Amino acid sequence: MIARGGYMNKIARVNLTKREVKVQELTEELVLNYVGGRGWGAKMLWDEVPRGVEPFFPDNKVVIATGPLTGTYFTGTGKTTLCSKSPMTGAYGDSNVGGRFGVELKQAGFDALIIEGKSDKPVYVKVFDGEVSIEKADHLWGLGSIEAEEALKRELNDRSISCLTIGPAGENLVCFASITSDFGRQAGRTGIGAVLGSKKVKAVVASGSMDIPIYDVESMIEVAREAYEYCFKNEGQKAWIRQGTMQLILWSNENSALPTRNMSEAVYEKAEMISGDAMESRVKIGNHGCFCCAMPCGQISRVKEGKFAGTVVEGPEYETAAMIGSNCALNSIEEVVKLNRLCDELGLDTISTGGVVAFAIECKRKGLLKGIEADFGDVDGIAKLVEDIAYRRGIGDLLAHGTKRVAEKLGGEAVKVAMHVKGLEISAYESRAAPAMALAYGTCDIGAHHNRAWAITYDIKVGRTLYTPDKAKWVIYLQHVRSLFDILTCCRLPWVELSLPLTYYERLYRAVTGIDRKFDDLLMVAERVYNLTRCIWLREYPHMDRSWDYPPPRWFEEGLPSGPFKGVKLDREGYGRLLDEYYRLRGWDRNGRPTKSKLRSLDLGFVVEELEKLGVDLSEG
Amino acid sequence: MRLEVLEERCAACGVCELTCALAHFKVNNPKKSAIRAEMWVLKDDVKMRIKVCRLCEEKPCIKACPSGALKFDGRRVEVDEALCTLCKKCAPACPFEGIFFHEDLRIPLVCDLCNGDPQCVRMCPTEALRVTES
């Protein structure tokens, strides 16, 4: 193998239909051109999950991938990426999770797992020190995701194992079902929990004691120590340990970006009640960090008094507190903790759940949807609705399909207030006064998620109503740098929040793998993967055009009702210009299709061939 | 001196584990460490546990060793590799579960305080580990 460290050089293919496990080695192409994590997920989905395979078909696959940096000595190397054809969008989906699962998987001898086929009975996949087996899980089916993890730790008599589990929502094929790991970490987005549910996989358990090979241990230690010292000296580190992402609630509110009542508003009058300060003073009991983190930002909270007393959760995170908090108009941090734990246990993505519930309530209020008892601010009613979704009871059965499909069924006004892009609910940044962030949502390759480009800080820096071309350029830059972290498979927050220089990652990659590559060369891998995921969409939806890259009509048609940007809405013409510039800089045509020359320059000639065979029209460029 | 453990500050990130393994064996393997951080999920609580030798007064590990391989040398519990039979009786005797084994290594892993400069203390991001002279 070309890499002299960082990889275990093994991928296990777990076929549930045949109940058979095959082990394959990494190829030079996987190591050099796709590196790991979402790079591998995208390549494997392209190669193995053709057009027409529906997300819940046995032929869909779940790729669980680490990267060369997972489990190495550096801040934030506890990441794992999951990829699959998404039940929310029918196209490329991924989600990553922190904690320790990826470290255990590598120490068990595997860089990645490919889960394929379908079991007829509930199973879990066990990966222990070089052995992969498919085990019975009838006794776990029906349990909450945290209950299942605890049951596995008890029956295997080992607390050091790491699990990925689904809850009832995944079992019941709720399209936005999540995957839980290490109590409170989630691969939340794009519904991969439901894909595992469709395959009757309740859990994947990993435990390993092998060395992770490192090309140059001394250099790795040197780079790591410098990075830790950098983080420890940084004032932001303390703040991140104290409040984690919850610092963002008040920041977002002050900047008219806090989703409120189905994103009809961007300023929440009770923001202080669900803020980082509220969490720290009222419910916080400790921290939980991902593997080797220098700024462990995970919070552990417990409700101390009132009717939810004793409820414990890892979190809340900003996204959760915003999407099920302000977006559903909850009244207190305690209510947020309660619903957060409920979603975690049921195995529901808190972002999409908050989006779907708020959308349903708005539709009810507008007389568009019957059968909803819950209202904004009604924590008990919302909790019941969330359970109805997870168990597919009553109206919950319809809502389990996600905002887009419900809106299409209802039509008219419902489509205008359906806050999603390409079928995935928008995460927690209201972007009517943030054109770069709107573009980031419009062009994110899994649907409307902030992870690929958190561009709102740039809007705040250069101007909230400007549609200048530099915004398109910045979004592309972020889409490459940020997704590179999901390819190397480590956490981006030390860079995003503490400005840890990117040169550290170039040095670390070299020390770990022995491959001498400049950061720009790694960025090209991220660009290759971004083009490949775009082509997965195109293969699935040959008619996809630029209209797919627009955020929902509400942001163009309704001005913000309050706050410093009152009256501001997205400008359709300005957004169109941004999108043109974005496509131009990417080497895509004016409908967002990568040109043949662009694809070939990224070693994606095989994509051109297959798309042309399928009759997808690509321009030469 | 000994390690003081403040479990309420621990985030169970495990940087202590990998630091320990790298400092002693130069291998990227947190399972070759003499310290472990674990999260315990209870019905209405979550607790972190740090498993490491606390240099307790009684040192039941030494008493449990039938071959005299463990000794207190005045600073730390020392393991004599020549005498150790890998019977593993020391580990369950430790009230802090601070003794570990790894199949590649033929000695029990017990904290040696890194010659007076415990590396895990330096690297803990939440200051859950301290050195104390008491």
Side-chain angles (χ1 to χ4, degrees):
Chain A
M1 192 177 59
I2 188 115
R4 284 171 286 179
Y7 296 101
M8 307 310 288
N9 198 25
K10 281 196 178 71
I11 295 174
R13 185 180 288 278
V14 182
N15 189 304
L16 300 159
T17 309
K18 298 182 192 160
R19 301 188 73 82
E20 162 187 286
V21 179
K22 285 189 174 163
V23 177
Q24 63 194 68
E25 292 194 347
L26 298 181
T27 60
E28 192 173 311
E29 187 189 36
L30 282 179
V31 170
L32 290 180
N33 285 12
Y34 299 93
V35 179
R38 97 181 199 103
W40 290 354
K43 181 64 163 63
M44 289 165 187
L45 290 188
W46 177 269
D47 287 346
E48 301 187 20
V49 186
R51 179 203 287 183
V53 172
E54 295 290 328
F56 295 146
F57 282 8
D59 288 351
N60 190 15
K61 306 191 179 189
V62 176
V63 177
I64 303 172
T66 65
L69 302 189
T70 307
T72 64
Y73 195 47
F74 200 76
T75 174
T77 59
K79 288 278 190 179
T80 309
T81 292
L82 291 99
C83 300
S84 189
K85 194 177 278 188
S86 162
M88 292 301 280
T89 67
Y92 176 80
D94 70 24
S95 193
N96 78 69
V97 60
R100 209 157 169 158
F101 180 85
V103 187
E104 293 293 339
L105 181 62
K106 272 174 90 162
Q107 289 205 260
F110 298 96
D111 298 293
L113 305 173
I114 302 171
I115 312 281
E116 58 187 29
K118 179 184 186 326
S119 173
D120 49 6
K121 295 226 170 75
V123 292
Y124 74 91
V125 177
K126 184 177 162 197
V127 189
F128 273 27
D129 268 332
E131 300 285 328
V132 184
S133 58
I134 301 168
E135 308 283 344
K136 281 186 183 173
D138 302 85
H139 61 301
L140 302 172
W141 205 251
L143 293 183
S145 62
I146 299 166
E147 291 170 344
E149 178 178 301
E150 286 301 309
L152 282 162
K153 287 186 172 177
R154 273 196 305 275
E155 72 184 55
L156 296 166
N157 195 26
D158 189 351
R159 286 213 70 80
S160 73
I161 63 171
S162 191
C163 308
L164 303 173
T165 58
I166 63 166
E171 296 173 9
N172 297 328
L173 310 187
V174 175
C175 291
F176 42 99
S178 63
I179 293 154
T180 285
S181 188
D182 295 350
F183 173 60
R185 297 265 144 199
Q186 276 81 28
R189 304 241 67 190
T190 72
I192 302 176
V195 181
L196 286 180
S198 74
K199 298 184 178 308
K200 290 273 196 292
V201 174
K202 181 68 179 176
V204 183
V205 187
S207 175
S209 57
M210 299 182 195
D211 298 349
I212 296 173
I214 303 294
Y215 168 65
D216 181 351
V217 171
E218 293 295 347
S219 294
M220 176 185 74
I221 293 173
E222 187 186 309
V223 179
R225 293 237 164 171
E226 274 182 43
Y228 282 104
E229 270 173 41
Y230 175 98
C231 295
F232 292 168
K233 278 188 205 149
N234 191 301
E235 272 308 302
Q237 186 246 15
K238 303 271 179 301
W240 273 82
I241 292 173
R242 272 178 45 219
Q243 295 194 358
T245 55
M246 286 293 281
Q247 297 168 87
L248 292 173
I249 289 280
L250 293 180
W251 175 87
S252 206
N253 200 47
E254 283 158 16
N255 283 295
S256 290
L258 187 63
T260 303
R261 296 181 187 82
N262 196 36
M263 297 196 176
S264 63
E265 302 165 65
V267 178
Y268 185 42
E269 70 281 4
K270 293 180 187 165
E272 285 182 3
M273 309 298 285
I274 59 163
S275 67
D277 293 342
M279 177 196 70
E280 195 183 354
S281 64
R282 297 182 63 84
V283 294
K284 175 170 177 170
I285 57 170
N287 280 90
H288 181 213
C290 299
F291 184 67
C292 267
C293 185
M295 49 182 281
C297 66
Q299 310 289 318
I300 307 278
S301 296
R302 182 180 59 208
V303 177
K304 298 200 172 102
E305 54 196 24
K307 65 178 171 177
F308 303 130
T311 306
V312 180
V313 79
E314 179 165 344
E317 297 284 342
Y318 165 76
E319 290 289 331
T320 302
M323 293 308 291
I324 63 174
S326 52
N327 205 40
C328 296
L330 293 188
N331 304 288
S332 67
I333 195 72
E334 286 81 359
E335 292 183 359
V336 171
V337 168
K338 169 68 186 171
L339 276 188
N340 192 354
R341 175 66 188 244
L342 181 65
C343 288
D344 287 0
E345 199 71 271
L346 294 170
L348 285 167
D349 171 24
T350 53
I351 298 175
S352 279
T353 302
V356 168
V357 166
F359 167 73
I361 292 173
E362 180 164 7
C363 286
K364 169 194 118 162
R365 285 184 159 200
K366 290 192 152 102
L368 304 167
L369 185 61
K370 291 193 172 58
I372 306 275
E373 285 166 31
D375 202 356
F376 288 129
D378 164 21
V379 65
D380 295 329
I382 291 170
K384 181 176 176 302
L385 185 57
V386 167
E387 284 181 1
D388 287 346
I389 291 170
Y391 291 102
R392 311 279 301 242
R393 293 187 296 233
I395 194 72
D397 187 43
L398 173 66
L399 298 179
H401 292 92
T403 302
K404 176 173 181 252
R405 295 191 186 98
V406 179
E408 282 170 354
K409 192 173 151 74
L410 300 176
E413 175 77 2
V415 173
K416 181 180 146 188
V417 300
M419 305 310 291
H420 72 89
V421 178
K422 300 187 184 76
L424 189 72
E425 285 75 15
I426 300 173
S427 62
Y429 298 94
E430 218 300 334
S431 305
R432 271 175 280 192
M437 192 67 222
L439 180 68
Y441 279 134
T443 59
C444 174
D445 64 357
I446 59 168
H449 196 41
H450 59 282
N451 66 340
R452 297 280 125 78
W454 192 49
I456 190 165
T457 54
Y458 193 72
D459 288 305
I460 290 168
K461 188 172 133 195
V462 304
R464 298 293 296 268
T465 54
L466 291 179
Y467 294 79
T468 44
D470 51 309
K471 289 198 171 181
K473 192 177 171 187
W474 184 249
V475 167
I476 294 170
Y477 172 71
L478 290 179
Q479 285 175 340
H480 294 163
V481 180
R482 292 172 67 97
S483 67
L484 180 57
F485 283 92
D486 299 337
I487 290 168
L488 297 168
T489 319
C490 61
C491 182
R492 66 177 71 90
L493 287 182
W495 165 66
V496 176
E497 303 299 342
L498 307 184
S499 305
L500 182 68
L502 291 170
T503 48
Y504 278 98
Y505 294 91
E506 182 183 294
R507 290 167 62 198
L508 180 66
Y509 177 81
R510 190 183 309 130
V512 167
T513 65
I515 303 171
D516 197 5
R517 284 178 113 163
K518 293 281 173 243
F519 193 77
D520 283 348
D521 187 40
L522 290 167
L523 274 186
M524 199 199 300
V525 173
E527 183 177 11
R528 175 179 300 123
V529 174
Y530 218 91
N531 277 266
L532 182 58
T533 55
R534 185 74 177 185
C535 289
I536 290 175
W537 280 86
L538 270 175
R539 180 171 69 177
E540 214 59 49
Y541 303 111
H543 56 288
M544 182 166 103
D545 62 19
R546 63 188 286 125
S547 69
W548 290 49
D549 291 338
Y550 276 69
R554 164 170 266 162
W555 282 358
F556 293 101
E557 293 170 17
E558 279 177 23
L560 283 170
S562 62
F565 296 97
K566 190 175 174 180
V568 172
K569 56 189 175 185
L570 282 179
D571 174 48
R572 195 169 277 280
E573 195 262 332
Y575 186 85
R577 268 188 286 121
L578 264 188
L579 200 54
D580 284 336
E581 180 65 7
Y582 174 92
Y583 292 156
R584 191 185 68 77
L585 291 168
R586 275 210 170 282
W588 295 359
D589 72 15
R590 65 175 313 281
N591 270 314
R593 291 164 183 235
T595 58
K596 290 183 209 176
S597 60
K598 184 72 202 180
L599 292 173
R600 289 189 185 116
S601 76
L602 293 167
D603 293 325
L604 294 171
F606 60 94
V607 172
V608 176
E609 276 173 40
E610 185 170 334
L611 287 180
E612 288 196 320
K613 221 186 295 167
L614 292 168
V616 179
D617 200 18
L618 299 175
S619 61
E620 200 55 53
Chain B
M1 69 180 278
R2 58 181 186 86
L3 274 189
E4 188 183 359
V5 169
L6 294 91
E7 287 179 329
E8 68 282 4
R9 288 193 186 175
C10 174
C13 69
V15 73
C16 51
E17 301 171 18
L18 190 46
T19 300
C20 179
L22 284 164
H24 291 85
F25 304 108
K26 299 286 175 205
V27 289
N28 198 105
N29 187 343
K31 305 282 172 73
K32 291 184 178 173
S33 61
I35 185 168
R36 305 293 157 90
E38 259 179 22
M39 177 165 68
W40 283 77
V41 177
L42 312 170
K43 189 173 172 294
D44 57 1
D45 205 353
V46 169
K47 295 272 186 213
M48 303 305 176
R49 281 209 63 193
I50 300 174
K51 298 177 170 179
V52 66
C53 171
R54 313 280 180 97
L55 275 185
C56 58
E57 202 60 41
E58 300 77 19
K59 299 184 183 54
C61 55
I62 294 178
K63 292 178 195 130
C65 177
S67 55
L70 297 186
K71 282 196 295 278
F72 180 60
D73 69 359
R75 293 181 300 125
R76 62 187 169 109
V77 174
E78 196 181 30
V79 184
D80 188 331
E81 192 175 335
L83 294 177
C84 177
T85 61
L86 281 180
C87 74
K88 302 189 179 179
K89 285 185 177 151
C90 51
C94 175
F96 301 100
E97 298 178 66
I99 300 178
F100 307 92
F101 291 90
H102 190 286
E103 62 174 18
D104 293 351
L105 306 168
R106 63 160 323 280
I107 44 162
L109 301 167
V110 189
C111 176
D112 64 1
L113 293 164
C114 297
N115 291 321
D117 181 17
Q119 297 299 299
C120 54
V121 173
R122 286 184 171 215
M123 300 304 285
C124 177
T126 54
E127 297 170 6
L129 296 167
R130 277 203 300 235
V131 171
T132 170
E133 297 302 330
S134 64

